[in-house]
Amino acid sequence: TSTAAAAAATAAAAAAKAMSNVKAAATVLTEYGHRSTLHGLSHMFQSGDLWRKAFWLVLTFAASGACVYHIYATVSNYLESPITSIYRDEGPQALFPGVTICNLKPVSEALLHAEEEKAALFHHLDQVWNFFDNWLFGLRSRKHSETRVEYKERQRELLKTYTDIFWVSDDTREFGLSDRHTLLMCLYKNKHCNASNFKLVQHHRYWNCYTFQPLDGDRTIDNSDQDSGLRLILFTDSNFDSNRLDDSVNYLRSMTREDEITNPYSLRTYLGRGNRTLNQVLTGNKWEAEGLRIFIHNESQFPTTSDIAFDVSSGASTTIEVNTKQVNTLNRPPSHVCNAEEPETISYVRYFGPNVTGLRSYRLTQPEAVMEAQQKMIFDKCGCYTHLLPFKFNTSLLCLYADPQHRIHPSMEFMQRLACHTNSFKLAEQKTSELLQQKDEYKPCTSWKLQATKVQVPWPRSDELIDFVNYVFMPSYIAELQNEDQVMHLLKSRNSRAEAIIRHLFNPDCRKENGTDAPLVDSWCISRAKLKANVAQIWIKPASTHAGVYMEEYSYDWPEALSEVGGIFGLWMGISLLSVMEFIELLCILMSVCTSRDAGKRSSNVGSAAASRNRMPQDFEAILRYLASLEDEEMREPVRQLQYQRQQPQQQQQPQQQQQLNSARAAREPSG
């Protein structure tokens, strides 16, 4: 019984305490409503009329709903586009881009169509490589299930593999595009340039490419008028076969289906009896034009990895206009990652030969990082590197490099590397998209993007052919004929490259005015069709002296976000920073009231706050009486005057009140 009574007493005490806390909290909330800076809340508590209270209550809730919706719409808009893109036409000073020239026919046609040079080339392939007759013999035969088209496609890919092995293992620099014989005229910023401004870059598809570099390194763009940029007149060395210029083309099938199965084409028969050139082998199954391929790239980028490339036809004048844009992106992991620091550098092989390797440093950005990862994948599987991507080691570490002692009869080790390379490179290519995502950290936050357009028209004009040959073409090759040594160190031909070009382009038999023995500069005859098939004019010009600027900015930074949110709350509910502090103060008071041990006393103290304001006059009178009792005369005199002023209205009011009382009594008494 005593235990039950104690429990009941405890429960009653807890209930009383809870009720006291509720009363205290209600009092605090009422006080907060009267003094709050929230306009709707203060109007609701201070209104004496019930209808007015209801009106302000509905209005406050409606404004609160509108405020919540407005904030939701603002946040949704930010999440949809947290980044604002800004583009300006006028930005920093633009720089002239890197320009790399490659020939779509890697091997010089002038040399391949000269009997002596062609015989010397065949001799070299026979003595050193045995025309690859012992290489992959089983793959050369036509399968019974293959159509002739399928067989030819596979055959050309196989022959392309032979030439790739030849390019990696041998020294092919003198077979391809020659800067001295290609460059007929060069003007950069309206100043003459020459072959020393072009640096060799070897590539498995184009063999010899040349990258333009100003001797003084000046890439600034002073203007974008007719004197700007790089102007070139180039000898493309594309076509010296007269039969290809005829109206009709003769074809005679030299091998039957049975021959292709039992005695298939080798590289020897393909180049000899098949009457194909080495350039047809090098193109593989790609049907490409005659002329040049121009790569436009950043100066710090490996040239042939650029995605801006234009094919320039022979017999045409081509204008390439380049627009430069600076791209500034934000580092926003994990959706967008970039590197704000200066990229590292990586060295790639620019050219190679016996006991010589030329290296050049490039920026290690995302594409280069992907290629390095692919090279590592191939090396981990095969123990060698691929020649199909830029490499930074000597060619002896490439998968398709054949030792001199194993070039006629390939070693088993080489054949295993070749098979491994083929499969591993395909796998590495399939991983490109995945590697791009993994190498986001190599993407610079600030980069330079290039955009280019091309316009091409026929050139040269028929009425300018004689002047073009006399003042542009002839001066270049006459000097070469006088000073040039033998060029073909592998072919060991007695003829120079310039002499081979002159011999195929000019026809001395038709010089009749001064006789066939007249000097070439005095009397010459040239094939107009051959000339147009082997020259091209190129103008690479900047679109503007300044680069455009693309910038990314956050849609809201902290000051803007604070202003936006503050404006929304102020518009719909009148909330300011002081209102927030008032609310925090309210929470602190409520916690203090609810956690106080003497909640009843706290409630009475809080509840008496309003009543104390009504007792202010009585308290003021007590203060005045206290001050009047002081002995300080200077203090007592002002206090007495203040008491007198407060008593005068009361004394005047007492007779008036007494008179009103007497009038009321007389009115109630009956008349006599």
Side-chain angles (χ1 to χ4, degrees), residues 184-384:
L184 300 179
M185 189 203 75
C186 177
L187 289 175
Y188 175 63
K189 299 171 70 170
N190 208 29
K191 296 180 180 179
H192 286 282
C193 45
N194 51 46
S196 60
N197 293 96
F198 292 84
K199 305 303 180 183
L200 175 64
V201 178
Q202 289 184 264
H203 187 266
H204 68 93
R205 165 61 186 86
Y206 311 105
W207 283 23
N208 290 357
C209 297
Y210 291 92
T211 300
F212 173 76
Q213 291 184 353
L215 287 180
D216 55 359
D218 181 18
R219 292 186 176 273
T220 59
I221 299 175
D222 301 328
N223 54 68
S224 57
D225 57 14
Q226 295 295 319
D227 296 331
S228 65
L230 178 65
R231 287 181 178 271
L232 302 170
I233 296 180
L234 303 175
F235 177 70
T236 61
D237 200 357
S238 297
N239 193 335
F240 284 91
D241 193 344
S242 299
N243 295 330
R244 299 182 190 181
L245 302 174
D246 296 339
D247 294 334
S248 61
V249 178
N250 297 323
Y251 168 73
L252 176 64
R253 181 174 180 180
S254 57
M255 294 187 70
T256 64
R257 176 186 177 90
E258 289 72 19
D259 292 334
E260 293 171 345
I261 295 175
T262 58
N263 188 25
Y265 270 121
S266 64
L267 183 61
R268 187 193 309 270
T269 55
Y270 192 84
L271 296 177
R273 189 172 65 172
N275 196 28
R276 268 79 169 185
T277 67
L278 196 59
N279 283 321
Q280 289 176 281
V281 178
L282 289 169
T283 55
N285 287 313
K286 296 180 180 179
W287 306 95
E288 294 184 341
E290 292 178 340
L292 305 171
R293 180 160 292 169
I294 309 298
F295 289 92
I296 307 297
H297 53 88
N298 289 318
E299 191 272 335
S300 59
Q301 178 185 9
F302 193 80
T304 54
T305 60
S306 173
D307 55 358
I308 303 178
F310 295 101
D311 288 350
V312 175
S313 301
S314 300
S317 177
T318 304
T319 301
I320 299 175
E321 188 175 70
V322 183
N323 190 21
T324 307
K325 180 172 62 176
Q326 186 187 55
V327 178
N328 302 294
T329 57
L330 295 173
N331 186 19
R332 299 177 281 110
S335 60
H336 183 274
V337 180
C338 64
N339 183 16
E341 300 179 356
E342 184 67 21
E344 301 176 2
T345 59
I346 185 171
S347 296
Y348 284 134
V349 173
R350 188 166 56 87
Y351 63 88
F352 56 89
N355 303 319
V356 60
T357 301
L359 298 174
R360 190 185 185 281
S361 296
Y362 301 93
R363 295 177 66 186
L364 181 59
T365 57
Q366 187 184 32
E368 286 76 16
V370 170
M371 291 186 294
E372 283 299 294
Q374 291 173 327
Q375 286 281 29
K376 185 177 184 304
M377 291 174 58
I378 296 172
F379 182 82
D380 292 342
K381 288 184 175 295
C382 307
C384 56

Side-chain angles (χ1 to χ4, degrees), residues 82-93:
I83 301 299
T84 300
S85 300
I86 302 174
Y87 183 78
R88 297 201 313 266
D89 292 331
E90 293 293 330
Q93 177 76 33

